[in-house]
Amino acid sequence: MGLLRTALGNRDLARLELAWATSSLGNWAFSILLALYAYRQGGTGAVALAVVVRMAPAALAAPYAAALADRHSRRSVLVWSAAARTAALFAAAAAAAAGAPIGAVLVLGAAFSVANTAHRPAQAALMPLVARTPAELAAANVCWSAIDYAGFLVGSLMAGALVRFAGLDVAFLACTLVLALTALVVRGVTRDTRPPPLPEPVGVVTELSAGLRTVAGHPQIRLFVAILSVDMLVQGVFDVLLVVAAIELLGLGDSGVGWLNAAWGVGGVLGGVAALALLGRGRLASALTVGLLVSGLPVVAVGAWPAAAVAFPLLVAMGVGFALMESALLTLTQRLAPDDVLGRVFGVEETIEVVALGLGSVVAAALVALLGVGGALVAAGAVLPVVAVLTARRVAGSVAGTRVPERAYALVHGLPLFAPLPVATLETLVLRLTERAYAAGERVVTQGEVGDAFYVIADGRVDVEVDGRFRRALHAGDFFGEIALLSDVARTATVTAAGPVSALVIERDQFLAGVGAHARSARAAETAARERLQADAAAGA
């Protein structure tokens, strides 16, 4: 609960969570309603067709939408995504109510999905910017997952109730009104500004493929994206199988689709609580393997024992597994990918998600035709536990939500030199730095000496002198020592504690490994060093 209060105590994070709540509610309800609409129009085949037609354009659009999140205000991208989805959903509701051909409704559903591809990358990339500590970020991610499943739960209940008591037309319109709230809520988030692009010319293909290159070049990210791919494929199969199972296997009727999905949503919320508990113990990554096991085995049981009374608690358990798995995957990816390509890395995941969901619907139809509904559930449910066994050893070596000194992290993260770095790199720097105390009048560095460290002032004030002449005073949150490290020269100034001073000290090798490994971070450091040298030269002239 302390972690939850910490995350929601951040105003911008709280608004992002609320925006996702309204978005999730509208998205999930619309997905269920569109599946029911397609089933009424043409049975299982039409459900699969609806998913493919809706997802294929989204898969093509996802890289472009993700690039927007890295080049423009991520808050603005969220606003426009919500507005575009509201318009598309309203048009789809009107078309369905007017008895338009199913193709027209599906085209509007595709437009909705295209606009939706921008939301998750933009929000996932914005959250590390507004989170103050890694623990706060991880807790916010768990809340995000739990809220998504709460939206899934409420959306499923809303879909089931509205279809039963008011019909599909009213249900579509209700989704439109709910989703319209997203744009209003997200406008209250502080507007972020993106750094200007680096001066090197970059082609369109290179720009769009940056996220893919990042995934391909990082073994850990590659592992987690591979797991996500299988997860999404299986969920695409489940989305179709639950519709068919509710009606044909369990005898629950149209409204039963909503109730089964509601059980899945309850499990997702409970899984969020479990993930918060694991996060508090620094063991969120271990939830990935557990989540893979728990999300698949209950589906095997439903297929083997098709009784409605048993299916509901089993789907709750399945939801717990998915929530554990997805919280870990989201946090790990945010920690490992650099900020300037983070949106596009999540864009890769978004593309994979829509492709895998669409492919999963086709696989589901084939499995039902080949094995029957029960056999299809057993076969699909067995996939994720197999993945858990195959990846358990590699996943065990990854740690999510690592505890780091929160104030030290906030000071380092707030410096322009380090802000572009992946969260995991910053965590490594903070975990390896040392904190030193200096008495009033004590020299911290001396002009002409070899530079061996970078300093961030945690408390107190230091005076900077060049050739014996006072140049400036630096206070808490300021830094010094970068010039000698970046240019491989002797110290260019003497820094003396004006009173009791506490400083965070990053050794030379750690500083160069962190800053030098990222082009934008290196550019920021070089700019800061150049400006200080120019200011000192002008003052001495």
Side-chain angles (χ1 to χ4, degrees):
M1 291 303 297
L3 287 170
L4 182 62
R5 286 193 298 270
T6 297
L8 297 182
N10 183 320
R11 174 184 173 278
D12 285 333
L13 280 180
R15 283 188 173 273
L16 287 174
E17 302 285 12
L18 180 57
W20 184 258
T22 56
S23 175
S24 178
L25 177 59
N27 288 351
W28 283 119
F30 177 64
S31 177
I32 293 169
L33 293 173
L34 190 64
L36 282 173
Y37 170 80
Y39 186 82
R40 288 184 177 182
Q41 297 293 315
T44 304
V47 176
L49 176 63
V51 175
V52 172
V53 171
R54 187 161 61 93
M55 293 302 186
L60 296 175
Y64 297 91
L68 293 176
D70 285 333
R71 291 292 170 257
H72 302 283
S73 163
R74 289 164 178 169
R75 192 267 287 175
S76 298
V77 172
L78 290 172
V79 171
W80 286 109
S81 171
R85 279 179 288 160
T86 301
L89 206 160
F90 180 79
I102 184 174
V105 177
L106 295 184
V107 167
L108 292 168
F112 176 94
S113 297
V114 167
N116 192 47
T117 59
H119 191 122
R120 184 174 181 271
Q123 178 157 328
L126 180 57
M127 288 173 70
L129 296 180
V130 301
R132 293 167 295 203
T133 66
E136 186 175 272
L137 174 61
N141 286 336
V142 173
C143 291
W144 184 359
S145 177
I147 286 171
D148 195 20
Y149 279 104
F152 189 8
L153 167 61
V154 178
S156 302
L157 293 172
M158 183 175 74
L162 287 174
V163 167
R164 182 173 181 84
F165 298 112
L168 272 173
D169 297 347
V170 174
F172 274 128
L173 182 59
C175 288
T176 304
L177 297 176
V178 170
L179 193 62
L181 294 175
T182 302
L184 297 177
V185 172
V186 82
R187 281 181 61 86
V189 175
T190 302
R191 190 178 188 278
D192 58 307
T193 57
R194 301 302 301 147
L198 295 173
E200 292 81 0
V202 177
V204 174
V205 174
T206 302
E207 179 83 0
L208 294 177
S209 63
L212 184 60
R213 293 197 308 275
T214 301
V215 171
H218 197 299
Q220 284 187 300
I221 297 179
R222 194 164 63 242
L223 169 66
F224 299 133
V225 169
I227 294 174
L228 176 73
S229 302
V230 178
D231 169 36
M232 290 297 106
L233 176 66
V234 171
Q235 288 201 45
V237 175
F238 288 177
D239 285 342
V240 176
L241 291 184
L242 288 186
V243 174
V244 182
I247 298 171
E248 298 183 10
L249 186 67
L250 301 174
L252 298 173
D254 284 0
S255 61
V257 178
W259 309 134
L260 286 180
N261 281 283
W264 187 347
V266 169
V269 175
L270 295 177
V273 176
L276 279 172
L278 289 171
L279 172 61
R281 293 167 174 80
R283 300 171 60 184
L284 182 57
S286 64
L288 182 53
T289 298
V290 176
L292 285 166
L293 291 169
V294 176
S295 57
L297 293 177
V299 180
V300 174
V302 171
W305 190 6
V310 177
F312 287 108
L314 286 173
L315 288 183
V316 170
M318 180 189 74
V320 171
F322 277 122
L324 290 172
M325 175 174 48
E326 290 163 6
S327 296
L329 287 173
L330 175 60
T331 302
L332 286 163
T333 304
Q334 285 175 325
R335 292 177 65 242
L336 295 170
D339 173 73
D340 61 338
V341 295
L342 188 53
R344 279 166 287 178
V345 168
F346 281 105
V348 172
E349 293 190 353
E350 191 76 8
T351 301
I352 289 172
E353 179 176 340
V354 294
V355 171
L357 287 172
L359 181 60
S361 67
V362 176
V363 171
L367 287 175
V368 170
L370 183 64
L371 304 174
V373 179
L377 288 169
V378 172
V383 172
L384 295 178
V386 171
V387 172
V389 173
L390 295 176
T391 62
R393 181 173 295 180
R394 294 180 64 187
V395 168
S398 300
V399 180
T402 303
R403 290 188 181 91
V404 298
E406 294 191 0
R407 184 162 185 261
Y409 178 89
L411 286 168
V412 173
H413 182 255
L415 300 179
L417 287 68
F418 299 113
L421 295 177
V423 173
T425 302
L426 287 174
E427 288 179 345
T428 300
L429 286 172
V430 173
L431 288 170
R432 294 181 180 178
L433 62 76
T434 57
E435 187 167 355
R436 298 180 190 172
Y438 299 90
E442 184 178 356
R443 284 189 176 183
V444 183
V445 301
T446 302
Q447 186 174 355
E449 290 183 342
V450 175
D452 59 358
F454 172 83
Y455 299 82
V456 182
I457 304 172
D459 293 295
R461 191 197 86 188
V462 298
D463 293 332
V464 180
E465 297 179 346
V466 178
D467 297 330
R469 299 176 61 184
F470 176 81
R471 288 289 184 262
R472 70 185 68 86
L474 300 177
H475 302 84
D478 291 328
F479 61 90
F480 59 92
E482 78 286 354
I483 297 175
L485 302 184
L486 293 170
S487 304
D488 196 20
V489 297
R491 294 292 189 191
T492 60
T494 296
V495 179
T496 305
V501 169
S502 175
L504 308 178
V505 183
I506 301 175
E507 299 300 327
R508 177 191 183 93
D509 290 344
Q510 294 297 325
F511 175 82
L512 293 177
V515 172
H518 190 271
R520 191 176 295 281
S521 183
R523 182 65 55 86
E526 291 166 0
T527 299
R530 184 174 61 254
E531 290 176 349
R532 283 189 174 175
L533 287 172
Q534 290 173 348
D536 290 340

